[in-house]
Amino acid sequence: MKRKTLFIALLLGLFCWDLPAQSKRSSLNLEHGTHRLGKRTDAEMQRWREHGLGQFIHWGIYAIPGGHWNGKYYGGAAEWIRSWKEMPKEEYDNLYKQFNPTDFDAQHWAKMAKNMGAKYMIITTKHHDGFCIWPSKYTNYTIKNTPYKKDILKEIVDAYQQQGIDVHLYFSIIDWNHAGYRSSIKTKEDSIAYQGFKAFTRNQLLELLTNYPTAKGLWFDGTWDKAWVDECKFVDDLETEMRLLHPGLIIGSRFRADEFGKRHFDSNGDLMGDYEQGWERNMPNSIDDINGNDWDCVMTVPENQWGYHSDWKGYVKTSSDLIEMTVKAVSMNGNFVLNFGPDGKGAIRPEETKLAEEIGQWMDVNRDAIYGCEYVNLKKEGWGYFTKKGNKIYLCVFNRPMDNMIKFEVPKNGFKTTKAYFLADKKALNIADGGKDKQNNKLYQIAVPPTYSSDKAFVIVLEIEENPEDNSTYQQART
Ligand code: H79
């Protein structure tokens, strides 16, 4: 027996010997793994890829308690307050009867997002609590049965689109309000109940795509439950159905699992869905973490609050932090999506309003370094990040060196450059040739005038001439 195993191993070894590295990778024949290898190449996806900056909005009835109940402070994420032992479920589930956001003005929200520089937005149509901000015909737990009555989702979709901002729909699979919802199936009764929940979920998703056909994508959440993961065939079929109903639809990697329960990346390690959706309040350190995939990063302003919490504790990010995260994401081919949590009346809190304004002021000047920009294969420098579009490389300086010298290295077969200037005022800058290092990389440095002052990051544009013989690995790998 042992000999036989050894023989097979040797035989396999012989067969694999001459194959290129990639074909050696074991490849399972998955029924519910990814349906596509490599990036999408269509116009809808290209448009998404070029957004750079987006806005997330978490808004639902959790905004009414705003992280407090009966005078007590809830330290968890405000949109999770229903799960807190201090909050009677019954009371939470009746909050919708008070939901009357008289300060809500979709036009105002959309203008604020536009001024911030957001190219797309993601709105919570239904969070884990199950409350729907559209008048779904499959449940009574919707906006229609609140004092407000009107279809909030429609108001948001219309207002944002009017501002030229694409809308994506957040949808939680977890639904604490639906009688058939289960996180795992333990009994026959659970199984029967869950059949009803699956039908309900499918109905709601098809309803959303039918009633809001201009939405560009679905942003799924709460898909980690074992009950959902085990339904890989149902979920896979549902994804196919939604894509047929809505050509061009963009869905991240968080929707479904393969038949081995693997999520985001299937059992062969291949991305499922159109982009990697795992960077929640977290960012990759380098392009190596991205494996050539599209991705988004969704980020909160305070530490872990998505829905409105009246009392933020801990570190609150500044506009400089958030601008840096935006640039960092774009420099690694990702989109940065900043979350806002309007209050129970529909007002966006002053802290968020101020941040949106400050980010917007920076974007007004530096937008060219963000929209449509991509990764540049240059050695990372301590002063900041590179982004690139066409023949322009943007040097985004966050840590101005003490000697005012912005240094960078170009590989020996890399581009040529003779022209540099500030993005803000187009003032020319001198590019000094710093010679070559031992590996023959060309060294350059740009002197920033000591008198130049900027309270936020500033951007230097470098006009380049690509070397047609530059066949660096990144160029080859791009798809
Ligand atoms: O919608 C936002 C979150 O509510 C949702 N995803 C983002 C976009 C999310 N759901 N679950 N999780 C994130 C991860 C689980 C967090 C938890 Fe907790 C830790 C749940 C219970 C402990 C945070 C801390 C929420 C309550 C206490």
Side-chain angles (χ1 to χ4, degrees), residues 336-352:
F336 184 73
V337 188
L338 180 62
N339 182 70
F340 289 70
D343 70 17
K345 286 283 166 212
I348 295 183
R349 66 199 301 151
E351 299 96 316
E352 290 175 350

Side-chain angles (χ1 to χ4, degrees), residues 376 378 387-395 408 410 414-421 431 444 461-467 470 475:
V376 192
L378 289 179
T387 66
K388 176 178 185 283
K389 188 175 184 183
N391 74 330
K392 293 194 176 91
I393 288 184
Y394 300 94
L395 283 57
F408 58 97
V410 180
F415 58 81
K416 282 190 198 133
T417 177
T418 49
K419 193 172 171 190
Y421 50 92
I431 310 172
Y444 291 101
V461 186
L462 205 61
E463 290 195 0
I464 63 161
E465 207 181 299
E466 308 254 20
N467 176 358
D470 177 12
Q475 295 284 342

Side-chain angles (χ1 to χ4, degrees), residues 56 58 62 74-81 83 124 127-128 170 172 174 176 219-222 224 254 280-281 298 300 304-307 339:
F56 210 147
H58 273 71
Y62 39 79
Y74 173 59
E79 69 283 2
W80 275 76
I81 198 166
S83 67
T124 48
H127 204 266
H128 307 339
Y170 167 108
S172 168
I174 293 176
W176 297 324
W219 202 97
F220 286 101
D221 202 6
W224 45 79
R254 211 183 270 205
E280 179 166 319
R281 295 196 304 116
V298 292
T300 53
N304 184 29
Q305 296 293 342
W306 297 88
N339 182 70

Side-chain angles (χ1 to χ4, degrees), residues 194-208:
Y194 204 65
Q195 291 306 318
F197 176 69
K198 278 158 55 188
F200 166 71
T201 302
R202 174 177 169 272
N203 282 337
Q204 283 206 319
L205 286 169
L206 299 181
E207 180 182 50
L208 280 172

Side-chain angles (χ1 to χ4, degrees), residues 137-385:
K137 63 180 180 195
Y138 301 104
T139 171
N140 289 325
Y141 199 40
T142 79
I143 191 68
K144 197 175 161 198
N145 296 315
T146 67
Y148 189 76
K149 289 194 177 67
K150 286 176 281 178
D151 181 350
I152 280 182
L153 183 54
K154 185 169 177 1
E155 290 187 62
I156 290 175
V157 170
D158 290 349
Y160 275 78
Q161 277 175 189
Q162 227 180 341
Q163 294 296 333
I165 298 175
D166 286 355
V167 178
H168 289 242
L169 309 179
Y170 167 108
F171 185 92
S172 168
I173 296 299
I174 293 176
D175 186 328
W176 297 324
N177 189 262
H178 192 274
Y181 167 73
R182 299 287 185 279
S183 56
S184 64
I185 308 297
K186 296 191 183 80
T187 63
K188 182 99 196 297
E189 288 69 34
D190 284 347
S191 176
I192 293 164
Y194 204 65
Q195 291 306 318
F197 176 69
K198 278 158 55 188
F200 166 71
T201 302
R202 174 177 169 272
N203 282 337
Q204 283 206 319
L205 286 169
L206 299 181
E207 180 182 50
L208 280 172
L209 293 177
T210 306
N211 292 0
Y212 310 92
T214 52
K216 301 286 183 185
L218 295 167
W219 202 97
F220 286 101
D221 202 6
T223 49
W224 45 79
D225 285 338
K226 188 164 186 321
W228 186 255
V229 168
D230 286 347
E231 289 291 345
C232 66
K233 180 173 170 16
F234 167 79
V235 185
D236 196 359
D237 290 348
L238 179 55
E239 183 174 322
T240 304
E241 189 177 12
M242 292 192 297
R243 289 190 189 279
L244 276 172
L245 178 66
H246 192 304
L249 188 69
I250 295 172
I251 301 177
S253 62
R254 211 183 270 205
F255 186 45
R256 63 189 184 87
D258 75 4
E259 53 265 52
F260 294 99
K262 286 279 285 174
R263 303 175 58 245
H264 295 283
F265 295 89
D266 67 18
S267 298
N268 286 321
D270 297 317
L271 182 74
M272 291 194 285
D274 301 322
Y275 62 95
E276 191 188 348
Q277 203 192 339
W279 301 101
E280 179 166 319
R281 295 196 304 116
N282 191 8
M283 281 203 128
N285 286 319
S286 85
I287 195 83
D288 300 335
D289 296 336
I290 294 306
N291 293 310
N293 291 313
D294 286 308
W295 60 281
D296 75 351
C297 164
V298 292
M299 187 58 69
T300 53
V301 173
E303 281 165 13
N304 184 29
Q305 296 293 342
W306 297 88
Y308 176 76
H309 196 305
S310 65
D311 196 2
W312 282 346
K313 294 251 164 83
Y315 184 71
V316 176
K317 293 171 196 73
T318 65
S319 53
S320 294
D321 294 336
L322 298 165
I323 291 164
E324 180 160 357
M325 288 176 182
T326 306
V327 173
K328 189 175 173 186
V330 171
S331 78
M332 292 186 280
N333 290 334
N335 283 333
F336 184 73
V337 188
L338 180 62
N339 182 70
F340 289 70
D343 70 17
K345 286 283 166 212
I348 295 183
R349 66 199 301 151
E351 299 96 316
E352 290 175 350
T353 303
K354 185 162 175 281
L355 287 172
E357 278 167 10
E358 289 172 1
I359 295 169
Q361 281 157 12
W362 190 88
M363 289 291 287
D364 271 349
V365 177
N366 300 294
R367 56 180 58 222
D368 290 354
I370 301 294
Y371 303 139
C373 289
E374 60 179 348
Y375 167 73
V376 192
N377 189 21
L378 289 179
K379 196 189 112 205
K380 176 94 183 77
E381 300 289 345
W383 45 255
Y385 309 88

